[in-house]
């Protein structure tokens, strides 16, 4: 090979190092499932065209409140709701009143999704994935919520969106009952609600990289919440570890300027995203101010908090001079390893990051060189996490252990085309109870001179 002639000087040649690095997976994308419909009134100020009905039933990414409001016709729906409410206030015919009342409640159901998405972005969220259900007058059963993989509808539509790390269904309790003929707002069906919650949790357990955010029905007292979560909702196993509950509901100014009570899941998802961005997924998303909230539906006492905390229900509290705070960071699990929300999310993050960044190893020769490369890349990644404060220990050796060698990969495993890398980590846990011992020291008597 002939070397081309070069002028005298210094030349730099870049060569790949062969070192494989692991990049942290995203943890701030939230998925929202709820009622939506197109509006008969267009917004002259919108910059993006609204999604069609067909587009609304499949996952759609939005990266700001403005984008969501344009794409999901929020201004048009708000104007339609106000106009229909005026007509209802002026109508005297009983049958027409029932029809108008039904329309008002159906439009209000659509704005519940909007309130959650607004709360998400107001509290620090930056990326949301929306899956819509088009008829707010109807209930949504377990099968419909689950959706269809090929059509990419419902929860199954989220199977193709690996970035999702949180799943919220702000319309869940509306989905449990259809609007009756007289148009009044029906009471939620708790048994159906538990079934829908279980379907969402099943999706999260299958994916193993996202958690569900839920709330009991609106208006329950603390004792009623205790009864609700103690009935038919698991407290151990994966179903409990991948689900979280928050109480009470929130009073917000309203995206249309009309104050309303809304489920907290959207605001909570935004608080999770804010914590991940500012501190890291290992930090418990608690002791955070809630933004875009006027008040809590029902204030809680320390006694209420204590009983609910034992049942894995995270409370939202108001403290003098501090405003409204997220005052809990637990899953529903009573298993020691998965009691704390940030531990479950950290392990999801670590597993997802290592899995996504190790696909290069597929079809590589299964020998000591591959095992050494995997050990090095995983150890380097976990060392970085330890330095950031995600893992417990004075040294990396105390914080984690990575084993990928002939012991984990005997000949029988190699013959099956597998490579096994065992990883142990020690996640940090939150200081949930801070105990101070205060001793008063009395003054010493003076000594006579």
């Amino acid at each position: 090979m002939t070397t081309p002639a070069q002028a005298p000087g210094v030349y730099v040649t870049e060569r790949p190092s062969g070192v494989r690095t692991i990049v942290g997976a995203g943890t701030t994308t939230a998925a929202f499932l709820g009622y939506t419909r197109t509006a008969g009134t267009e917004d002259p100020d919108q910059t993006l065209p609204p999604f069609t009905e067909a587009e609304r039933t499949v996952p759609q990414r939005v990266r700001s409140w403005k984008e969501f409001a344009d794409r999901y016709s929020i201004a048009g729906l708000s104007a339609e709701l106000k106009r229909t409410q005026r007509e209802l206030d002026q109508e005297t015919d009983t049958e027409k009143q029932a029809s108008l009342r039904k329309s008002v409640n159906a439009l209000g159901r659509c704005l519940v999704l909007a309130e959650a998405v607004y709360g998400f972005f107001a509290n620090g969220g930056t990326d949301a994935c929306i899956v819509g259900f088009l008829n707010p007058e109807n209930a949504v059963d377990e099968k419909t919520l689950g959706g269809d993989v090929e059509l990419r509808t419902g929860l199954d539509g989220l199977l193709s969106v690996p970035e999702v790390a949180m799943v919220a269904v702000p319309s869940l309790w509306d989905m449990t009952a259809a609007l009756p003929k007289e148009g009044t707002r029906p009471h939620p069906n708790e048994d159906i609600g538990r079934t829908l919650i279980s379907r969402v949790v099943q999706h999260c357990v299958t994916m193993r990289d996202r958690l569900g955010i839920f709330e009991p029905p609106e208006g329950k007292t603390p004792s009623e919440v205790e009864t609700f979560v103690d009935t038919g909702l698991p407290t151990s196993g994966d179903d409990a570890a991948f689900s979280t509950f928050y109480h009470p509901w929130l009073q917000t100014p309203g995206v249309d300027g009309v104050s309303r009570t809304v489920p907290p899941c959207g605001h909570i998802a935004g608080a999770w995203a804010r914590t991940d961005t500012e501190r890291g997924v290992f930090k418990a998303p608690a002791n955070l101010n809630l933004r875009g909230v006027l008040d809590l539906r029902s204030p809680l006492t320390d006694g209420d908090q204590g009983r609910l905390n034992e049942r894995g229900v995270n409370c939202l509290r108001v403290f003098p001079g501090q405003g409204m705070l997220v005052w809990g960071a637990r899953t529903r699990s009573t298993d020691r390893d998965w009691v704390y929300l940030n531990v479950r999310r950290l392990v999801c993050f670590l597993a997802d990051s290592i899995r996504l960044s190790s696909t290069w190893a597929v079809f590589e020769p299964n020998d000591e060189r591959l095992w050494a490369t995997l050990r090095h890349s995983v150890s380097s990644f976990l060392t970085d996490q330890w330095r950031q404060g995600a893992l417990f220990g004075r040294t990396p050796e105390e914080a984690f252990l990575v084993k990928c060698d002939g012991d984990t990969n005997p000949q029988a495993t190699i013959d099956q085309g597998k490579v096994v890398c065992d990883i142990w980590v020690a996640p940090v846990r939150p200081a949930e109870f801070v105990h101070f011992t205060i001793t008063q020291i009395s003054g010493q008597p003076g000594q006579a001179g």
Side-chain angles (χ1 to χ4, degrees):
M1 180 177 178
T2 304
T3 302
Q6 293 180 332
V10 177
Y11 296 89
V12 177
T13 302
E14 296 182 357
R15 297 182 184 277
S17 66
V19 176
R20 303 286 184 170
T21 59
I22 294 178
V23 179
T27 61
T28 60
T29 300
F32 294 96
L33 297 92
Y35 286 119
T36 179
R37 46 159 283 192
T38 56
T41 304
E42 294 185 1
D43 178 16
D45 297 327
Q46 68 184 33
T47 56
L48 294 170
F51 286 128
T52 64
E53 289 192 350
E55 290 173 328
R56 290 170 187 242
T57 61
V58 299
Q60 299 289 351
R61 300 285 288 273
V62 294
R63 293 174 174 82
S64 69
W65 164 248
K66 172 61 176 172
E67 182 179 0
F68 175 85
D70 285 352
R71 292 295 203 176
Y72 286 87
S73 318
I74 301 306
L77 289 173
S78 300
E80 191 174 342
L81 175 58
K82 290 179 180 178
R83 184 179 65 252
T84 308
Q85 183 64 59
R86 286 197 301 269
E87 293 177 4
L88 173 61
D89 295 339
Q90 298 169 2
E91 185 57 60
T92 57
D93 183 82
T94 304
E95 291 187 5
K96 291 182 179 179
Q97 283 180 339
S99 176
L100 289 170
R101 190 179 300 111
K102 192 172 185 178
S103 297
V104 166
N105 283 323
L107 291 165
R109 283 183 165 189
C110 293
L111 292 184
V112 171
L113 173 63
E115 296 286 357
V117 175
Y118 179 86
F120 173 71
F121 287 114
N123 281 275
T126 57
D127 197 355
C129 184
I130 315 298
V131 179
F133 298 87
L134 298 178
N135 195 337
E137 295 183 1
N138 294 342
V140 175
D141 59 21
E142 180 184 4
K143 182 178 179 181
T144 305
L145 180 64
D148 186 282
V149 176
E150 294 184 359
L151 298 178
R152 298 187 66 222
T153 59
L155 288 165
D156 284 351
L158 297 174
L159 296 175
S160 58
V161 190
E163 299 87 353
V164 169
M166 325 164 211
V167 181
V169 189
S171 301
L172 187 140
W173 292 108
D174 284 335
M175 290 177 173
T176 63
L179 291 176
K181 183 178 180 180
E182 60 272 17
T184 55
R185 184 182 177 187
H187 292 290
N189 187 308
E190 293 188 11
D191 291 334
I192 294 177
R194 291 188 183 92
T195 301
L196 298 181
I197 289 171
S198 296
R199 183 61 185 86
V200 178
V201 174
Q202 176 188 338
H203 168 81
C204 295
V205 172
T206 299
M207 297 301 291
R208 306 199 72 82
D209 60 0
R210 57 198 64 175
L211 273 70
I213 306 175
F214 309 105
E215 52 277 312
E218 177 189 355
K220 283 190 173 297
T221 64
S223 60
E224 290 172 337
V225 173
E226 293 176 48
T227 302
F228 171 78
V229 297
D230 286 344
T231 306
L233 294 174
T235 58
S236 62
D238 283 345
D239 283 6
F242 282 86
S243 59
T244 61
F245 278 80
Y246 288 82
H247 177 76
W249 286 39
L250 310 174
Q251 292 181 356
T252 65
V255 295
D256 57 345
V258 178
S259 177
R260 59 172 53 88
T261 303
V262 301
C265 56
H267 295 71
I268 296 301
W272 287 16
R274 190 200 326 168
T275 302
D276 292 355
T277 301
E278 295 178 352
R279 297 286 299 276
V281 70
F282 61 88
K283 165 67 173 67
N287 200 2
L288 296 168
N289 287 100
L290 283 177
R291 302 167 181 169
V293 179
L294 295 176
D295 203 353
L296 300 180
R297 175 69 170 76
S298 53
L300 302 174
T301 66
D302 288 344
D304 298 332
Q305 166 105 45
R307 295 190 301 273
L308 293 176
N309 202 54
E310 290 179 356
R311 290 167 170 80
V313 178
N314 300 310
C315 295
L316 310 177
R317 302 285 305 275
V318 176
F319 294 100
Q322 300 181 62
M324 279 162 277
L325 301 178
V326 181
W327 207 245
R330 290 191 174 200
T331 68
R332 275 283 296 154
S333 179
T334 55
D335 297 339
R336 176 182 176 276
D337 290 338
W338 309 122
V339 168
Y340 294 111
L341 166 61
N342 59 304
V343 173
R344 176 67 270 181
R345 295 190 71 227
L346 172 64
V347 172
C348 288
F349 162 73
L350 296 177
D352 209 30
S353 301
I354 293 170
R355 178 181 60 83
L356 292 173
S357 295
S358 299
T359 54
W360 60 266
V362 179
F363 303 118
E364 289 293 314
N366 197 354
D367 55 16
E368 177 57 44
R369 284 175 295 184
L370 175 62
W371 305 339
T373 304
L374 283 171
R375 286 197 305 270
H376 180 268
S377 59
V378 173
S379 297
S380 297
F381 173 67
L382 294 178
T383 299
D384 289 341
Q385 298 304 312
W386 169 75
R387 286 174 178 154
Q388 294 175 29
L391 302 178
F392 182 82
R394 293 171 298 175
T395 64
E397 290 74 21
E398 292 181 356
F400 64 86
L401 173 65
V402 180
K403 188 173 179 60
C404 185
D405 51 25
D407 292 339
T408 61
N409 295 280
Q411 190 59 48
T413 300
I414 296 174
D415 292 342
Q416 294 175 6
K418 298 179 181 178
V419 58
V420 177
C421 182
D422 287 340
I423 304 169
W424 292 265
V425 295
V428 292
R429 286 173 166 76
E432 190 178 28
F433 302 102
V434 180
H435 182 98
F436 290 93
T437 299
I438 302 176
T439 303
Q440 185 179 28
I441 302 176
S442 60
Q444 299 297 320
Q447 295 180 354

